[in-house]
Amino acid sequence: MSKGRFFRIICGIMILIISVILVQVFVSDDNNGGDELGDQGMQPGYYDPSRWMESLSDDTYLSEITIPGTHDSAARYVMLGYVMRCQDTSIYEQLDNGYRYLDLRIALDKSQKEHSIKLVHNFANCHVDGGLFSDYLQLEDVTKDIYTFLQKYNDETVIVNFKIEDDEVNVKEIQKLLNQEITSNKDYWFTEEYIPTLGEARGRAVLATRFDDIAGTGVTGLNMIWAEQDNKTPVDIPYELYVNDEFRYWVQDRYKYSVEDKYEAVVDGLENCEADEDTWFLNFVSTSGDGKIGHPKGYANSLNGLLMDYSFKGNTSYGIIIVDFGDADLAKKIYLTNSF
């Protein structure tokens, strides 16, 4: 074989190898969902779930951003796990996976001389791990994860919505303890009653509450109180509008629907969502089902799969989409709708 022919063969092989590599790169990029959502030109960090907000404009109101969130965010290790467990990752992992709305249910812990706030799901206590006699999960355990995350990624923000699930007699004390936690770490909290821009909220947790200020603390943040949507029979319009002095908020939280009815309610919200600079939309994908005994994990497996298959539009605000057992892929599917 002549040297010239040998050289041409080697060059042909090299060109073939390079072509295969380039095809693999382009296929990988296409599978990332970028072209479908029209997000060309976004900074690389936008695809990193731990810092996807850094590429968004400071002038954008939080209510205009499509935000992935978790329902009963602390209910990972919880009593009666089959019916009460809603997550399989820690608070920090949820934030690291891209979720930016936390739904925290709290109650008064009287087990020690110094009362504290514990995390619960309804009457069931949340624990720090899966041990039979493990400690209750405390508010400071959760806020530590939030503060640590915001220290590391100070271009991000997280909306933290508290609901008190306790006897009325304990509400005042819970409010005072919560206020102590916030005022002691005020640099980490945005506690105003209006919807902030992303620039105002970066590096801080945005306080939201689902209770009246009966303790007179003067600190409720974004006050969002809505009626329980615990009907099992579908209604024509599954979301409801609430209005306060500072903003409006739509809520779809039909948590006793079957999988089929729930998915229809979620899609109805996605397709008719009103989310703008002074209007929130909270669209819960979570459900305990319409049977006598709920099983959030089983329903989440079905609903999260359906949501992954849903065709979101780019450059569209879908509000806050709140899920059980969400992973990083589902969070990315949701927040990539903010592409522009």
Side-chain angles (χ1 to χ4, degrees), residues 205-272:
V206 176
L207 175 66
T209 54
R210 290 178 62 183
F211 52 79
D212 291 317
D213 185 18
I214 64 174
T217 64
V219 180
T220 58
L222 302 170
N223 201 220
M224 300 181 179
I225 301 174
W226 62 84
E228 292 291 311
Q229 299 181 6
D230 55 357
N231 56 298
K232 295 182 179 181
T233 303
V235 293
D236 291 337
I237 302 177
Y239 35 87
E240 296 180 12
L241 175 65
Y242 300 87
V243 181
N244 63 30
D245 292 338
E246 298 293 337
F247 56 86
R248 309 186 312 159
Y249 53 107
W250 292 91
V251 180
Q252 182 285 114
D253 187 17
R254 307 289 171 175
Y255 62 89
K256 289 191 176 181
Y257 274 11
S258 67
V259 167
E260 295 78 10
D261 292 336
K262 184 64 176 185
Y263 184 63
E264 287 184 10
V266 170
V267 171
D268 194 335
L270 296 175
E271 295 179 351
N272 297 286

Side-chain angles (χ1 to χ4, degrees), residues 60-237:
T60 308
Y61 287 89
L62 292 192
S63 52
E64 295 178 303
I65 302 172
T66 304
I67 296 176
T70 56
H71 161 253
D72 255 304
S73 308
R76 180 188 186 189
Y77 302 115
V78 61
M79 289 171 47
L80 303 174
Y82 183 86
V83 296
M84 292 295 188
R85 185 178 176 217
C86 296
Q87 303 299 330
D88 54 12
T89 51
S90 69
I91 295 297
Y92 189 90
E93 289 174 307
Q94 291 170 33
L95 297 174
D96 207 38
N97 284 341
Y99 294 93
R100 295 293 180 269
Y101 173 95
L102 300 177
D103 169 28
L104 301 180
R105 315 298 176 89
I106 56 177
L108 190 64
D109 183 1
K110 296 182 179 180
S111 62
Q112 304 294 328
K113 184 177 180 181
E114 292 286 333
H115 292 177
S116 59
I117 294 177
K118 62 184 176 180
L119 278 297
V120 296
H121 179 185
N122 201 310
F123 61 84
N125 294 309
C126 299
H127 294 261
V128 296
D129 58 45
L132 185 60
F133 301 106
S134 66
D135 293 334
Y136 295 152
L137 184 67
Q138 300 288 316
L139 176 63
E140 62 185 19
D141 298 321
V142 173
T143 55
K144 180 181 178 182
D145 276 354
I146 295 171
Y147 302 155
T148 300
F149 180 81
L150 293 174
Q151 281 179 343
K152 186 173 182 180
Y153 302 105
N154 57 16
D155 280 326
E156 304 299 299
T157 186
V158 55
I159 302 164
V160 184
N161 200 337
F162 289 99
K163 181 185 180 187
I164 297 176
E165 296 191 335
D166 205 336
D167 295 334
E168 289 185 12
V169 68
N170 294 328
V171 171
K172 282 188 178 182
E173 187 173 356
I174 293 170
Q175 276 191 256
K176 290 177 180 178
L177 289 171
L178 178 60
N179 190 52
Q180 287 176 14
E181 168 66 29
I182 291 170
T183 55
S184 298
N185 298 277
K186 60 183 180 180
D187 289 344
Y188 287 108
W189 290 93
F190 180 92
T191 60
E192 301 298 329
E193 298 178 6
Y194 64 86
I195 300 173
T197 62
L198 181 55
E200 292 176 289
R202 289 194 194 275
R204 294 194 282 177
V206 176
L207 175 66
T209 54
R210 290 178 62 183
F211 52 79
D212 291 317
D213 185 18
I214 64 174
T217 64
V219 180
T220 58
L222 302 170
N223 201 220
M224 300 181 179
I225 301 174
W226 62 84
E228 292 291 311
Q229 299 181 6
D230 55 357
N231 56 298
K232 295 182 179 181
T233 303
V235 293
D236 291 337
I237 302 177

